[in-house]
DNA sequence: TACAAATTGTGACATTTATCATGTTATTAA
DNA sequence: TTAATAACATGATAAATGTCACAATTTGTA
């Protein structure tokens, strides 16, 4: 989607910039880069933690399962994003699953080396700390929304959040190819309910659909639905 | 409730042990200790971040508001726990509120000093990172539960979680004095619904009530309701 | 290409959960 | 102590959301 060059690798990842300069050679020696197909699961909840991943190109979803055919998408990781870091700390098992939404190239650093890096490179640790703080804020915001905000508002927020994360194509559609089921899992509701809410949003001229592509027509009204002005 | 002595202060806080030894004098010079009354709000969502807090004695709830008379309790902080650290990072505003559930003594370290400490003391930063990772895991677990688990299961899980956090009195009741409204806010449902679920649990002999005290009679069955064996 | 499988669209219906109303019982403050 | 206020209890009802069933369409693949 971008200009065909790797704008992100572990070494150039936004998180690591400035912090891993002197670490580059060591990282390169410890990383493994490989491709995953669309739909392929990289690791599952309960799998023993083996390493931390970076998205080189493509996109993956981080999710938690419920009941075999229900899930909640916790976040997406795009080019330049870290994932699998929830495997840090106690337990030794990933608490979430990760699967590719597109053909994706990931790069992998084994956990022992990653933790060793953290212990030594305090600038990096500090940046990771800030990153986790932001994730925690997002997560708790979403928690409250799941508890109290109606599905329509959650769909509105999910759409805005997707646009913020993935941007838009030249003709104004959100620049990600997501199944309706995944959209529902991201909003934390069933496919059918989300489908109805999308219809309502279309009737209210807040969004516009073309195939599975979605275009936001009235961001302000959508934000009002999400009842929160200060956000992302 | 404990034996009348301060078993935790910033200097002896579980988080800081081993990491802040050499930092003690500086911390002492920068901390302020004060009392808050039951029900008193320490800071609110949207307040500018001024510092990080530790619970010296007592208990506080960390929550997010919705709609003036609804809220979701995100976590509790007891003796020895840190709170207000969601104020770290971008924004400069607390994303959550904190209020005392009991007469509580908190101790406060201003944010600039705290951040300076983080930048210098990498052992402490590392431990805080691990702490945040655990919080994130908890948070995402709860997120999924709010999205998919029925209220009854959430109540069951909330009760088990409370018992794990606060322990039991000699006669077996969960050692915290929480209003039913707060319990509902913790489970992420309305007072009335939680009330009904509690009645069901009583009828099923899974719990036992005495005033506002709650005793778990069948932890295993409650865990089954929460449909997750691997947990806290 | 052609078939199977997955995804999407849509209505009818069931269930869960929230809302409202109202009475009762504690707690707090004067 | 008493009045006032907040917390608790509980049923009736409404609204939101999920479940089920099934057709249409798209996608992946043999």
């Amino acid at each position: 989607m971008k200009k065909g060059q790797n704008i992100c690798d572990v070494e150039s990842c936004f998180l690591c910039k400035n912090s891993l300069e002197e670490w580059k050679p060591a990282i390169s020696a410890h990383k493994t880069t490989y491709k995953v197909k669309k739909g392929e699961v990289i690791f599952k909840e309960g799998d023993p933690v083996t390493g931390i991943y970076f998205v080189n190109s493509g996109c993956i979803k981080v999710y938690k399962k419920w009941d075999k055919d229900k899930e909640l998408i916790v976040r997406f990781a795009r080019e330049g994003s870290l994932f699998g870091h929830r495997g840090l700390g106690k337990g030794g098992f990933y608490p979430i699953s990760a699967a590719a939404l597109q053909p994706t190239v990931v790069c992998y650093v084994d956990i022992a080396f990653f933790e060793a890096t953290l212990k030594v490179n305090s600038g990096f640790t500090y940046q990771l700390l800030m990153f986790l703080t932001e994730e925690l804020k997002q997560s708790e915001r979403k928690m409250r929304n799941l508890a109290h905000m109606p599905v329509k508002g959650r769909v509105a927020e999910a759409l805005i959040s997707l646009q913020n994360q993935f941007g838009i194509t030249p003709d104004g559609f959100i620049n990600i190819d997501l199944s309706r089921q995944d959209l529902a899992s991201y909003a934390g509701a069933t496919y059918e309910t989300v489908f109805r809410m999308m219809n309502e949003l279309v009737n209210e001229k807040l969004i516009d659909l073309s195939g599975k592509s979605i275009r936001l027509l009235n961001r302000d009204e959508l934000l009002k639905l999400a009842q929160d002005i200060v956000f992302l």
Side-chain angles (χ1 to χ4, degrees), chain A:
Chain A
M1 247 150 221
K2 284 290 161 58
K3 311 190 191 81
Q5 74 178 132
N6 279 344
I7 61 163
C8 181
D9 197 358
V10 184
E11 291 88 347
S12 56
C13 162
F14 75 101
L15 229 185
C16 317
K17 262 198 212 107
N18 313 321
S19 297
L20 283 187
E21 274 312 310
E22 73 282 16
W23 219 248
K24 274 189 182 181
I27 284 274
S28 294
H30 284 267
K31 78 173 188 194
T32 312
T33 302
Y34 63 96
K35 289 180 190 160
V36 286
K37 280 177 286 203
K38 178 174 176 171
E40 193 175 333
V41 174
I42 299 163
F43 54 79
K44 292 196 312 290
E45 289 169 77
D47 283 355
V49 175
T50 55
I52 304 291
Y53 295 80
F54 296 83
V55 179
N56 220 296
S57 68
C59 181
I60 71 109
K61 65 174 176 180
V62 176
Y63 59 101
K64 261 180 113 71
K65 289 200 74 73
W66 178 260
D67 243 15
K68 202 166 34 189
D69 42 21
K70 279 184 199 165
E71 62 184 44
L72 179 74
I73 294 179
V74 159
R75 64 183 273 262
F76 298 99
R78 329 189 303 294
E79 287 188 351
S81 294
L82 184 70
F83 69 101
H85 53 292
R86 283 155 184 76
L88 285 168
K90 287 179 295 190
F93 299 98
Y94 291 109
I96 39 83
S97 306
L101 291 173
Q102 312 164 7
T104 294
V105 178
V106 301
C107 131
Y108 164 96
V109 177
D110 82 86
I111 189 77
F113 178 69
F114 191 81
E115 288 190 332
T117 301
L118 286 177
K119 280 188 179 133
V120 178
N121 190 325
S122 71
F124 181 57
T125 307
Y126 183 77
Q127 286 192 254
L128 184 56
L129 184 70
M130 291 301 146
F131 178 61
L132 279 184
T133 300
E134 293 305 320
E135 283 197 309
L136 190 60
K137 286 182 195 176
Q138 288 283 120
S139 169
E140 289 175 347
R141 182 187 156 75
K142 191 160 174 176
M143 233 166 90
R144 186 213 43 198
N145 292 351
L146 285 165
H148 295 304
M149 185 188 278
V151 175
K152 193 167 176 182
R154 302 210 301 270
V155 171
E157 178 153 335
L159 293 176
I160 294 170
S161 167
L162 286 172
Q163 180 157 116
N164 287 347
Q165 288 177 73
F166 297 99
I168 55 177
T169 59
D171 45 349
F173 290 93
I174 299 174
N175 195 15
I176 186 184
D177 183 25
L178 198 65
S179 80
R180 290 296 146 99
Q181 180 55 62
D182 277 343
L183 177 60
S185 299
Y186 189 47
T190 58
Y191 164 81
E192 291 92 329
T193 304
V194 170
F195 169 79
R196 287 178 237 289
M197 298 307 159
M198 296 279 283
N199 280 345
E200 289 187 25
L201 294 176
V202 169
N203 290 335
E204 293 162 14
K205 308 244 187 295
L206 301 186
I207 66 172
D208 179 21
L209 301 179
S210 167
K212 46 174 61 177
S213 296
I214 303 166
R215 177 162 48 187
L216 308 190
L217 298 177
N218 192 334
R219 213 184 119 105
D220 290 344
E221 279 303 315
L222 288 169
L223 267 174
K224 269 189 211 161
L225 269 179
Q227 284 190 46
D228 206 334
I229 314 305
V230 200
F231 138 61
L232 247 183

